[in-house]
Amino acid sequence: MVRFAEVAIKRLGGDAAVTYQVGVGGYRPTSGDSYEVVSRPDYQTLLEKCDLFITHAGVGGIVSGVSLGKPVIIMPRLASFGEHRNDHQLATASAVSGAVMVANTEQELGEFISAAYSNRHSSAVSASALNRSFMERLSCYM
Amino acid sequence: MLGGRLNSAAARQAAIGVASSGGHLVQLEALVTMGLHLDYILSPSALKVDVQSITIRDCNINQPVNVLRSLISIARVLWRIRPAVVITTGAAPGGIALVVARFLGAKTIWIDSIANVNKASLTGRLVRPFATTWVSQWECVAKENKGVYIGKIFNFFDSRNSASI
């Protein structure tokens, strides 16, 4: 996922400041800051400052990103890539798909990253998290 | 809705949003992103949406002196703009603005934060009589306060999980 994200972010060609947490012995991208493991306070600080959060489909990452109102892209770990024991992250991903962008392939990840980058000034929350029927019904009272 | 302008008859049409920092502002901004037209947003924080910002001090309903200070500064702003509509997602400064706006004859819309799952916020309950529309994002809370329930601003809050939020 780190390699895929690196490729997609390089393609933006812009000024995006990126911090990677790659895991012990994980691939270190050639651009941006990268750490094997970030301490929990540092992680929180980075998360609060970020404009886009990309993570696997772990519950901790999803909840912390969404509850801070950040746009979140998740890419479930798959057993077939040796990323996890089983495919439970697919179930997590489908349960939270209303709140986050779920990327299942490198191409989808790239598309979500470039969409988030071009919308970076437009919204405080990801569009997929908004319930448009609320606004429609509210307008009856305006 | 119509755009408002200061110092003109059109100013009477202005729509104003009010929100404290954090989740209150995130919810108000979400409404703007979904097409709510606001001429001004009164908030202690910088905005992420393209609406003219008026900075106000935050306050807490348990701090009478700060509430009074906020009341004076908010009343000044509203007196000048004479809005047609004030809409707020809380907290205390939103409640103050709502009461002042009601006295100025504006429509007043209170949207209780989605965080208030089982009971309406204290400010929300206090200003209930001054709200022309009072919305909770939780059906039971809306019913209890004779308000309206029109769903939730964010679609990832699932009623089935409400006990865990």
Side-chain angles (χ1 to χ4, degrees):
Chain A
M1 184 179 82
V2 169
R3 286 177 206 268
F4 293 167
E6 182 189 20
V7 169
I9 291 162
K10 274 191 181 148
R11 217 182 301 131
L12 301 173
D15 48 354
V18 194
T19 305
Y20 297 91
Q21 177 182 248
V22 301
V24 177
Y27 166 73
R28 305 286 283 259
T30 53
S31 59
D33 296 333
S34 68
Y35 303 93
E36 286 194 328
V37 179
V38 179
S39 77
R40 199 155 190 210
D42 289 345
Y43 179 88
Q44 187 64 23
T45 308
L46 285 165
L47 198 55
E48 283 168 13
K49 282 196 305 187
C50 81
D51 298 308
L52 173 66
F53 180 48
I54 305 166
T55 178
H56 284 296
V59 169
I62 295 168
V63 169
S64 46
V66 170
S67 56
L68 284 168
K70 302 296 182 182
V72 179
I73 301 173
I74 63 171
M75 192 170 208
R77 286 182 191 269
L78 297 177
S80 56
F81 289 157
E83 295 173 308
H84 220 308
R85 282 185 309 109
N86 57 30
D87 284 340
H88 73 274
Q89 286 206 346
L90 287 175
T92 306
S94 92
V96 297
S97 59
V100 302
M101 294 166 267
V102 182
N104 288 302
T105 62
E106 177 175 9
Q107 191 190 343
E108 284 176 4
L109 181 67
E111 284 165 7
F112 285 135
I113 289 173
S114 68
Y117 186 72
S118 51
N119 290 333
R120 66 196 182 283
H121 299 305
S122 65
S123 170
V125 287
S126 63
S128 65
L130 298 176
N131 173 14
R132 288 178 191 274
S133 84
F134 182 93
M135 192 53 229
E136 193 182 316
R137 298 174 74 181
L138 180 66
S139 61
C140 307
Y141 298 96
M142 295 296 288
Chain B
M1 243 190 303
L2 300 167
R5 202 178 306 140
L6 239 56
N7 308 320
S8 80
R12 189 64 208 166
Q13 301 302 323
I16 296 186
V18 188
S20 295
S21 304
H24 299 283
L25 185 56
V26 169
Q27 289 172 79
L28 185 66
E29 288 179 326
L31 296 177
V32 172
T33 304
M34 289 191 283
L36 175 68
H37 171 84
L38 293 175
D39 298 283
Y40 303 94
I41 291 179
L42 275 59
S43 178
S45 295
L47 306 184
K48 284 193 156 192
V49 291
D50 186 21
V51 174
Q52 191 170 338
S53 154
I54 298 177
T55 306
I56 54 168
R57 295 160 57 112
D58 215 341
C59 68
N60 182 306
I61 204 80
N62 300 321
Q63 309 160 328
V65 177
N66 288 341
V67 167
L68 195 66
R69 268 193 202 138
S70 282
L71 171 67
I72 293 166
S73 67
I74 289 169
R76 255 188 210 145
V77 172
L78 296 184
W79 179 262
R80 189 163 51 91
I81 299 175
R82 295 296 182 108
V85 185
V86 166
I87 181 164
T88 180
T89 46
I96 293 165
L98 188 139
V99 173
V100 173
R102 192 69 204 115
F103 278 110
L104 293 173
K107 270 190 191 175
T108 52
I109 302 175
W110 176 270
I111 299 176
D112 214 46
S113 168
I114 199 161
N116 305 309
V117 179
N118 299 314
K119 192 180 182 191
S121 64
L122 175 57
T123 306
R125 283 178 280 138
L126 288 173
V127 305
R128 176 70 192 89
F130 302 94
T132 53
T133 302
W134 194 96
V135 178
S136 171
Q137 299 180 58
W138 298 96
E139 195 157 14
C140 297
V141 178
K143 201 170 175 191
E144 196 173 86
N145 293 277
K146 298 189 168 57
V148 292
Y149 173 71
I150 53 174
K152 298 165 178 50
I153 295 174
F154 303 116
N155 56 24
F156 57 86
F157 282 80
D158 188 332
S159 301
R160 287 171 300 177
N161 303 325
S162 61
S164 62
I165 290 174

